[in-house]
């Protein structure tokens, strides 16, 4: 029972308490760079989710074998193999998305979020909690990117997933699909999350 | 399993420690914040309750004998107050506003009023949300609104003007902490935001009413754009009076000069800032003019074109976002002037005044730190 509870906790913490781009401020590079549309955010999130879970599971399985002095190179080799799989898969199945994401898929290799989870959690924990933890963090990351991508697409193009949702009266805010818009949206969302947490804390105390 | 539970702490530590520290903060912060606020009127009974030590807009003129209040700029030593200065700045902007109304008619009135009202409302809402006394009558938000309105093209959409004004006050000023804490000139930041948000609308100008009588809203290029993209020189006299296409209040050099000289006469602006900026623009563009007069415009053209005048008299001289030391002011204006000319001559945009000032605004804290006057009587440190 206790294990069950803690497993649920490992999953849930990635969705709010430790949601990476907004609370821990890790994984910001993809969050800022590719979220100019909902689909790009979703694709990036799913790619990172796949790499995240697989890398964490592999590291967790081999955690007793990996010598601690060379653990970072070992992690990077594992992660980069997985990223290469993802990159080739996207290029073969979704060439348009692969082109839109550009170098940011290969850059998942050095994503601090994945390296951080591997180092902080998978290297010290058995497989089952690791799966839940990485799944939670990855899903939280995907949701964050989808929110950012959705907001920026609605404001920057007036559309969502390519469908025009705002009428012709709406003059698109070009800034939202520029890098500056990414920072504005990210800052706004971080502020919102902090505000909600502050409210919660005030209510609790 | 023991291994499991022990290590699980690591990821949990972060969320655990944050509420604790925030609780600690919450316990401690109200004490210094509210203590001087509440007992002050009761116990001390000063003639003027020094409304919060943090409030930057309150005059730090001998608030009380018992403590030294150090607040952010603008500083002043005489009987001037921030509302008085700001209201005089608004007065100084009246000629430019009048010129914009003269050249662009009711459209200019509408845009100016929309910007003004939005800035005031935004300021009021933010001060209310931050539980601060409302200071919308001090005129600083009004100046932001008017300046932003003057920098807009006459054909700008009303919604765009509202959005830009909101951004200018909300992000440019209030998110940094209000008057005195903003790094960037709010009006310029709002204009830059609109430039990135509506790139087409922000750069489509129309001829003033005085040029084309019958038809309204004929699109036209500004003198700087004509020079950059067509290689065509506009007559400087027209630019001096404002009889050219351009942003509403930026075109009429004479109207801006009247306002600027009024501010100088009142002693609110340091002559170094506007004249240093304009002088740098003139000298730096003059070098290129001397090299090739057929390709580059003369310095007078560069002084009268675009936002150079409005920027020099009303934005470079912003008390909050310009350096406080004399040496720092020179660095600030010379760098900004060179940047403006470089953008105009070699950049992708025809006009560079806005970005030159915003760019140098970012360096103001650094400039202030490194141009501190030496303390008299101290020894030079060898290790430095």
């Amino acid at each position: 029972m206790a294990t069950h509870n803690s497993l649920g906790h490992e999953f849930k913490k990635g969705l709010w308490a430790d949601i990476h781009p907004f609370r821990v401020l890790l994984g910001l590079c993809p969050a800022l760079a590719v979220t100019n549309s909902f689909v790009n955010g979703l694709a990036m999130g799913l790619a990172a989710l796949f790499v995240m879970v697989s890398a964490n599971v592999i590291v967790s399985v081999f955690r007793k074998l990996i010598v601690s002095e060379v653990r970072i190179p070992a992690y990077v080799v594992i992660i980069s193999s997985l990223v290469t799989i993802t990159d080739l898969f996207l290029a073969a199945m979704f060439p348009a998305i692969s082109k839109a994401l550009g170098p940011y898929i290969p850059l998942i290799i050095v994503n601090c979020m994945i390296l951080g989870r591997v180092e902080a959690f998978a290297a010290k924990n058995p497989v089952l909690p690791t799966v839940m933890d990485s799944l939670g963090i990855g899903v939280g990351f995907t949701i964050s990117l989808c929110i950012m991508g959705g907001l920026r697409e609605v404001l920057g193009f007036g559309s969502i997933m390519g469908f025009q949702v705002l009428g012709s009266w709406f003059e698109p805010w070009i800034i939202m699909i520029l890098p500056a818009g990414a920072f504005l949206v990210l800052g706004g969302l971080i502020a919102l999350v902090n505000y909600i947490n502050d409210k919660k804390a005030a209510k609790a105390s | 399993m023991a291994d499991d539970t022990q290590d699980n702490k690591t990821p949990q530590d972060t969320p655990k420690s944050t509420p604790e520290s925030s609780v600690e903060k919450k316990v401690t912060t109200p004490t210094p914040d509210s203590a001087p606020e509440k007992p002050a009127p009761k116990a001390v009974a000063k003639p003027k309750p020094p409304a919060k030590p943090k409030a930057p807009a309150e005059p730090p003129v001998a608030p009380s004998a018992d403590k030294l209040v150090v607040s952010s700029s603008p500083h002043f030593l005489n009987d001037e107050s921030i509302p008085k200065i700001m209201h005089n700045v608004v007065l100084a902007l009246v000629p430019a506003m009048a010129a914009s109304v003269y050249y662009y008619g009711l459209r200019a009135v509408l845009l100016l009023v929309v910007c003004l009202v939005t800035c005031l409302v935004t300021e009021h809402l933010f001060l209310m949300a931050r539980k601060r006394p409302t200071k919308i009558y001090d005129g600083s938000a009004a100046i932001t609104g008017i300046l932003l309105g003057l920098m807009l093209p006459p054909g700008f959409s009303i919604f765009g003007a509202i959005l830009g004004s909101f951004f200018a006050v909300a992000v440019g000023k209030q998110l940094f902490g209000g008057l005195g804490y903003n790094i960037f000139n709010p009006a310029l930041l709002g204009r830059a935001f609109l430039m990135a948000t509506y790139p087409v609308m922000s750069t489509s100008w129309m001829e003033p009413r005085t040029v084309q009588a019958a038809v309204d809203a004929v699109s036209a290029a500004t003198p700087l754009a004509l020079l950059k993209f067509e290689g065509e020189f506009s007559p400087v006299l027209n630019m001096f009076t404002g009889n050219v296409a351009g942003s509403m209040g930026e075109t009429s050099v004479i109207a801006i000069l009247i306002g600027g000289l009024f501010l100088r006469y009142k002693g609110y602006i340091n002559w170094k800032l506007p004249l240093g900026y304009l002088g740098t623009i003139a000298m730096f563009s003059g070098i290129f003019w001397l090299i090739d007069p057929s390709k580059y415009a003369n310095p007078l053209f560069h002084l009268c074109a675009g936002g150079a005048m409005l920027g020099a008299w009303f934005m470079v001289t912003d008390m909050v976002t310009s350096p406080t030391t004399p040496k720092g002011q020179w660095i600030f204006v010379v760098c900004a002037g060179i940047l403006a000319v470089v953008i105009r001559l070699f950049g992708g945009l025809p006009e560079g005044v806005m970005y030159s000032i915003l760019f140098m605004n970012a360096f103001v804290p650094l400039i202030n730190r490194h141009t501190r006057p030496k303390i008299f009587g101290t020894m030079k440190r060898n290790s430095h």
Side-chain angles (χ1 to χ4, degrees):
Chain A
M1 205 61 198
T3 358
H4 182 74
N5 271 345
S6 78
L7 282 182
H9 172 78
E10 299 300 354
F11 179 73
K12 263 192 289 182
K13 74 172 188 286
L15 298 184
W16 180 259
D18 272 0
I19 190 163
H20 262 57
F22 300 148
R23 292 284 286 162
V24 191
L25 302 187
L26 289 181
L28 289 184
C29 162
L32 290 167
V34 300
T35 53
N36 53 2
S37 75
F38 182 83
V39 173
N40 285 356
L42 183 67
M44 184 73 206
L46 290 179
L49 175 67
F50 166 73
V51 176
M52 180 89 166
V53 175
S54 332
N56 273 285
V57 167
I58 293 172
V59 168
S60 177
V61 167
F62 293 111
R63 69 185 187 280
K64 303 253 166 68
L65 289 179
I66 296 171
V67 185
S68 106
E69 280 79 11
V70 292
R71 63 187 193 284
I72 299 291
Y75 299 159
V76 171
V77 168
I78 293 168
I79 295 171
S80 51
S81 328
L82 290 162
V83 168
T84 310
I85 294 171
T86 316
D87 196 20
L88 293 176
F89 172 78
L90 276 179
M93 305 300 283
F94 305 101
I97 289 178
S98 169
K99 210 170 188 181
L101 296 181
Y104 292 103
I105 291 288
L107 276 176
I108 298 178
I109 294 171
V110 286
N111 192 321
C112 46
M113 180 181 74
I114 293 169
L115 267 179
R117 276 344 272 178
V118 167
E119 168 82 6
F121 200 93
K124 302 168 185 166
N125 285 293
V127 175
L128 209 52
T130 302
V131 170
M132 297 312 278
D133 170 81
S134 54
L135 211 56
I137 302 277
V139 169
F141 180 73
T142 311
I143 292 173
S144 315
L145 259 62
C146 287
I147 294 172
M148 281 190 71
L151 273 175
R152 287 177 66 192
E153 193 180 347
V154 165
L155 293 174
F157 292 113
S159 64
I160 190 102
M161 296 173 78
F163 297 109
Q164 204 68 28
V165 288
L166 294 175
S168 54
W169 51 269
F170 180 76
E171 184 92 9
W173 304 5
I174 307 294
I175 192 170
M176 283 302 164
I177 51 175
L178 299 175
F183 282 97
L184 284 174
V185 169
L186 181 70
L189 287 173
I190 291 173
L192 183 72
V193 169
N194 281 346
Y195 178 77
I196 295 171
N197 274 322
D198 280 0
K199 274 273 144 97
K200 265 190 189 165
K203 223 179 229 176
S205 68
Chain B
M1 222 56 228
D3 180 48
D4 183 1
T5 43
Q6 198 183 13
D7 292 329
N8 268 355
K9 269 182 188 167
T10 339
Q12 280 173 0
D13 263 353
T14 3
K16 233 185 211 170
S17 61
T18 28
E20 267 172 14
S21 57
S22 66
V23 166
E24 266 176 20
K25 262 182 205 164
K26 255 172 207 144
V27 176
T28 47
T29 39
T31 7
D33 220 15
S34 56
E37 217 175 327
K38 277 172 190 167
K42 275 188 223 159
V44 192
K46 294 273 183 230
K48 252 189 183 178
K52 273 180 274 162
K54 268 186 183 172
E58 282 317 304
V61 198
S64 54
D66 52 357
K67 62 178 129 182
L68 172 68
V69 177
V70 180
S71 73
S72 173
S73 57
H75 301 293
F76 40 82
L77 296 169
N78 48 17
D79 65 338
E80 300 283 5
S81 67
I82 284 181
K84 198 173 163 194
I85 294 179
M86 295 296 177
H87 291 156
N88 273 318
V89 176
V90 173
L91 203 63
L93 283 168
V94 165
M97 285 192 274
S100 71
V101 174
Y102 172 73
Y103 285 116
Y104 296 105
L106 284 176
R107 185 78 192 170
V109 180
L110 185 65
L111 277 175
L112 283 172
V113 168
V114 163
C115 286
L116 182 65
V117 170
T118 313
C119 280
L120 291 177
V121 168
T122 311
E123 175 108 338
H124 182 71
L125 289 179
F126 265 80
L127 287 171
M128 223 162 65
R130 295 171 61 210
K131 298 190 178 64
R132 298 289 171 102
T134 183
K135 291 208 196 76
I136 62 169
Y137 304 109
D138 73 358
S140 62
I143 291 174
T144 300
I146 294 170
L147 281 178
L148 181 63
L150 291 178
M151 281 188 287
L152 292 178
F156 212 73
S157 79
I158 300 297
F159 178 74
I162 294 174
L163 188 70
S165 309
F166 175 80
F167 187 89
V169 172
V171 178
K173 191 171 164 195
Q174 290 297 338
L175 283 191
F176 284 105
L179 177 66
Y181 292 105
N182 46 322
I183 299 172
F184 299 103
N185 184 310
L188 280 173
L189 206 65
R191 183 69 176 87
F193 174 78
L194 288 178
M195 186 83 183
T197 306
Y198 300 121
V200 177
M201 199 165 38
S202 299
T203 48
S204 42
W205 282 277
M206 55 173 81
E207 293 277 13
R209 294 189 307 164
T210 43
V211 171
Q212 29 87 30
V215 199
D216 59 345
V218 171
S219 63
T222 61
L224 281 168
L226 277 178
L227 179 66
K228 183 151 212 153
F229 303 125
E230 323 266 329
E232 192 180 312
F233 292 90
S234 308
V236 170
L237 185 67
N238 274 354
M239 290 159 58
F240 192 70
T241 56
N243 203 4
V244 288
S247 295
M248 291 194 309
E250 285 182 355
T251 51
S252 178
V253 172
I254 180 84
I256 298 164
L257 267 182
I258 293 171
L261 290 177
F262 170 72
L263 282 187
R264 177 70 205 104
Y265 164 73
K266 293 294 257 183
Y268 295 154
I269 57 180
N270 190 325
W271 62 270
K272 280 191 213 73
L273 291 169
L275 294 190
Y277 186 66
L278 292 173
T280 309
I281 289 182
M283 287 202 303
F284 198 61
S285 62
I287 294 172
F288 291 96
W289 178 62
L290 287 177
I291 293 172
D292 187 0
S294 63
K295 195 175 163 204
Y296 297 108
N298 59 17
L300 207 57
F301 173 90
H302 277 289
L303 289 185
C304 295
M309 276 291 160
L310 193 70
W313 291 102
F314 290 98
M315 288 153 203
V316 169
T317 56
D318 183 349
M319 293 176 183
V320 177
T321 57
S322 59
T324 47
T325 59
K327 211 201 283 175
Q329 288 176 337
W330 279 118
I331 297 173
F332 179 73
V333 291
V334 169
C335 290
I338 290 175
L339 262 175
V341 176
V342 165
I343 295 174
R344 276 184 180 183
L345 296 184
F346 310 111
L349 293 166
E351 173 61 311
V353 167
M354 169 176 79
Y355 290 122
S356 76
I357 300 175
L358 278 178
F359 190 78
M360 288 314 293
N361 276 348
F363 286 95
V364 165
L366 209 62
I367 293 173
N368 275 341
R369 172 170 300 193
H370 286 282
T371 56
R372 265 186 213 153
K374 246 184 278 156
I375 301 165
F376 185 70
T378 53
M379 298 266 283
K380 214 183 220 174
R381 280 204 198 112
N382 288 328
S383 60
H384 221 315

